Amino acid sequence: MKEALEPLPGPTITPSAQVSIVVIAFNDAVHVGDAVRSALAQVVPEGTVAEVIAVNDASTDGTGATLDDLARTEPRLRVLHRAENSGGCGTPRNDGLRAATGRFVMFLDSDDVLPEGAVGALLAAALRHDAPVAAGACVRRELPARRDVPWQPALYREAAVYDSADAGPQLVRDTLCVNKLYARGFLAEHGIVFPEGRYTYEDFVFTARVLAAAPRVTTVPDPVYIWHVRRSAAQQSISLARNDVANWQARIDAHHTSVRIFLDAGHKALAHAASTKFLDHDLRMYVRELHTRGADYRTEWWRLTRDYLAGFDEADLRAARAPARWLARVVLASPAPRDLDRLTQLAARPGRLIPPYAEADGRAVWSADLPEVELDALGTKPMHRLPVTIDAEPLVGPRSTLRLRVHDLYGRLAAAGPAGIDVELRRRRDDRRGPVHTAQLTADPAATGTEGCWTAEVVLDLAALIERGSEHAADPEPWDLMAEVRCADGSGFRASLRATGPGLRRRVLPSRRHLLLLAQPYATTGGALSLRVAAGLRSVWRITARRLGR
């Protein structure tokens, strides 16, 4: 049973209700101090966190010395030094778990931090509801831009309690172990530990073991973990190091193990939910990047995926969202990689189904040569959930414009009557809303049937994107573009723009306001149109010189 909760006054917390925070680190001297300090700074109603246990996984840089220096002035910090590197995250976490003495335990990675109040929010919820597991909101913070993206936000919109995970199968979608507080006695009673050694995605398996033990779980909407995403780091984190197909194999193995854990414990609903999550999240994420990989990667990825998906039940496929199950069915129906551009666009968020639009026996299908892959639900999806494609061709110059082309989807748009379009720009680092450009849509008389479309053109005011004082920015400011289409029948929808045309290149433009503008329209990994803009003579010169130096 799930119960929605109202905020209540904090409970009285006894000294036995203390928290141990396990921080794991390997060659991360630059960041580990911030992680440890964020853990030590946690204040709960009884005073402070009982202990922070930092596990140095045989680092070869200054990580160990940094931790030892902190421990000399902080009695609550205990440092464990491993003699040999474990090759993964599971073993050092298990070391910290065995050393912990608190009633509850949390885990923290050395390159992340805990926000203020994280432990207090989780501990209060765990004690109030006698829950061995308390979970809270996690934020993925893109650095250096400091752009925050919520992780699995639907799970943490409101406080709730579940008598077990069977009452909330959606809990399997959050495979993180770090945004949760665990009763140490519960973990010990059920023998729950992380996989040892060089095991990628060890948190998938740990989380499955936790949920399969059927604890009461409470969730809070408070942010309790800040996951730092450093895409430009010399050594990528496991979650970002996806350019080797072995990473995909490891993800499949971890997911398969998780499903087996649920089935062996008799939790068929959780196994089903985990399989659906794999399609909606994991498969879609990797397909979105597939066009950026080499031929050998694509061939092996396709083989691995096809073999794995062959074991999925039809019920698992049908439970996934329409874009995800279409992707899966294309892979299952094709012995070799194909239609990578279409697959990439469909896997984007939001998804875009690009032409051609084929039919077989009156059914919408993927293509004429794959009539068995039906695009089911296209006729019943609400307008705002349709994977509509809007092509956008940027023409950057003295008068910068955007040529737009809205594609019909098997007559769904034609029936609604697209009439107008608003193109909105949002600054990526803080989601600040920029200019909105409006235009009327005109039906293209040359496009008929399933290939019907509407066109428009808007003028872009690039100078309006530059704030006062930003002329000396080190890098161009990224802006994302979204469109909102208004229809004659009163309906409408939002969609990202698909980057098209030869204008996806950097241009230096004269500007009355800023002397010079540097503008670069480009396609994101998922194919959406975005725009980088910088201004001022010094800024443009510095950026150009730096790129020439590379």
Side-chain angles (χ1 to χ4, degrees):
M1 179 186 72
K2 173 191 174 182
E3 176 187 352
L5 306 174
E6 295 294 330
L8 297 173
T12 300
I13 299 178
T14 63
S16 62
Q18 293 183 347
V19 178
S20 299
I21 300 177
V22 175
V23 182
I24 62 170
F26 172 66
N27 285 356
D28 199 13
V30 174
H31 304 117
V32 68
D34 290 338
V36 168
R37 281 186 285 270
S38 77
L40 292 168
Q42 295 295 312
V43 176
V44 294
E46 64 180 318
T48 58
V49 166
E51 63 183 358
V52 175
I53 302 171
V55 184
N56 170 30
D57 198 6
S59 298
T60 57
D61 67 349
T63 297
T66 298
L67 291 172
D68 288 339
D69 287 345
L70 286 170
R72 291 188 185 97
T73 59
E74 178 48 71
R76 290 178 298 146
L77 175 60
R78 299 164 57 197
V79 182
L80 306 180
H81 295 284
R82 289 185 50 80
E84 295 183 3
N85 180 256
S86 68
C89 297
T91 297
R93 287 197 184 119
N94 288 338
D95 289 346
L97 182 58
R98 284 188 289 267
T101 61
R103 177 179 170 186
F104 295 90
V105 64
M106 281 187 72
F107 301 101
L108 172 61
D109 291 347
S110 61
D111 54 349
D112 300 329
V113 294
L114 299 179
E116 182 181 351
V119 172
L122 291 173
L123 184 58
L127 293 174
R128 178 174 294 116
H129 304 292
D130 192 23
V133 180
C138 170
V139 172
R140 284 170 53 98
R141 177 164 293 166
E142 298 269 357
L143 296 175
R146 295 183 63 84
R147 176 174 178 253
D148 288 349
V149 179
W151 168 258
Q152 298 293 341
L155 295 177
Y156 301 107
R157 291 199 175 104
E158 62 181 7
V161 63
Y162 304 84
D163 286 339
S164 74
D166 287 322
Q170 67 273 20
L171 291 172
V172 305
R173 289 181 171 268
D174 184 2
T175 52
L176 299 182
C177 68
V178 289
N179 60 329
K180 301 174 181 69
L181 180 82
Y182 307 92
R184 197 165 54 85
F186 162 77
L187 297 179
E189 176 187 355
H190 295 279
I192 297 172
V193 294
F194 292 89
E196 292 276 350
R198 193 177 297 276
Y199 195 102
T200 310
Y201 299 112
E202 77 295 328
D203 46 354
F204 284 30
V205 176
F206 180 84
T207 300
R209 289 170 176 170
V210 168
L211 296 180
R216 176 175 291 175
V217 179
T218 181
T219 62
V220 298
D222 310 63
V224 301
Y225 198 86
I226 299 178
W227 174 2
H228 287 148
V229 180
R230 297 177 173 91
R231 299 188 187 276
S232 59
Q235 182 166 336
Q236 293 289 341
S237 66
I238 288 174
S239 60
L240 295 179
R242 297 193 291 266
N243 58 348
D244 189 331
V245 75
N247 179 277
W248 179 236
Q249 177 67 75
R251 200 173 189 104
I252 287 175
D253 291 344
H255 176 262
H256 180 67
T257 300
S258 300
V259 170
R260 291 307 319 170
I261 289 170
F262 290 136
L263 291 176
D264 291 346
H267 297 289
K268 292 184 179 180
L270 297 185
H272 172 66
S275 295
T276 302
K277 174 262 177 186
F278 179 84
L279 298 171
D280 283 336
H281 178 74
D282 305 65
L283 177 67
R284 198 166 173 178
M285 176 170 59
Y286 281 72
V287 169
R288 191 163 59 243
E289 301 171 346
L290 199 55
H291 69 296
T292 68
R293 310 304 185 198
D296 290 344
Y297 177 104
R298 296 172 185 174
T299 300
E300 180 63 7
W301 184 94
W302 201 273
R303 183 191 68 79
L304 291 171
T305 307
R306 198 162 183 256
D307 290 348
Y308 189 51
L309 293 180
F312 278 51
D313 293 336
E314 175 62 21
D316 296 332
L317 292 175
R318 294 200 66 85
R321 296 183 180 94
R325 64 175 179 264
W326 299 342
L327 296 171
R329 285 173 174 156
V330 171
V331 174
L332 284 168
S334 309
R338 58 169 290 164
D339 302 336
L340 295 184
D341 187 33
R342 293 190 81 204
L343 291 172
T344 295
Q345 299 286 337
L346 186 59
R349 294 187 184 277
R352 298 177 291 274
L353 181 61
I354 65 175
Y357 302 131
E359 292 182 296
D361 302 323
R363 299 174 298 116
V365 297
W366 179 256
S367 63
D369 62 331
L370 281 184
E372 65 270 37
V373 180
E374 182 178 358
L375 305 180
D376 55 317
L378 268 182
T380 57
K381 272 181 171 291
M383 182 70 72
H384 69 277
R385 292 192 178 275
L386 288 175
V388 175
T389 294
I390 304 177
D391 290 340
E393 180 182 358
L395 302 171
V396 175
R399 184 177 182 271
S400 297
T401 61
L402 202 59
R403 292 178 180 171
L404 303 169
R405 190 175 187 88
V406 181
H407 293 269
D408 198 2
L409 263 181
Y410 297 94
R412 288 294 307 276
L413 271 65
I421 186 169
D422 295 334
V423 176
E424 174 186 285
L425 287 89
R426 284 190 176 269
R427 190 166 61 187
R428 183 175 301 169
R429 65 179 164 90
D430 57 5
D431 205 35
R432 181 178 76 79
R433 190 181 188 190
V436 177
H437 306 280
T438 299
Q440 297 299 308
L441 287 168
T442 303
D444 185 346
T448 59
T450 58
E451 301 294 334
C453 64
W454 295 261
T455 62
E457 184 173 295
V458 298
V459 177
L460 297 175
D461 183 3
L462 300 181
L465 302 179
I466 306 298
E467 287 185 337
R468 183 182 298 276
S470 66
E471 291 85 353
H472 305 299
D475 290 294
E477 189 82 75
W479 292 79
D480 295 319
L481 290 84
M482 289 291 294
E484 182 163 353
V485 174
R486 304 180 306 280
C487 298
D489 68 352
S491 64
F493 58 89
R494 287 175 60 82
S496 58
L497 302 177
R498 178 192 176 208
T500 62
L504 301 176
R505 56 193 178 91
R506 191 180 304 113
R507 294 286 303 275
V508 177
L509 307 171
S511 169
R512 292 182 179 178
R513 193 182 309 173
H514 307 290
L515 296 181
L516 287 178
L517 282 177
L518 186 146
Q520 182 186 10
Y522 68 99
T524 66
T525 301
L529 178 65
S530 288
L531 184 68
R532 294 189 182 101
V533 181
L537 182 60
R538 291 175 57 190
S539 178
V540 172
W541 169 252
R542 185 167 56 249
I543 292 167
T544 304
R546 187 170 68 245
R547 295 189 179 277
L548 287 174
R550 291 176 184 172

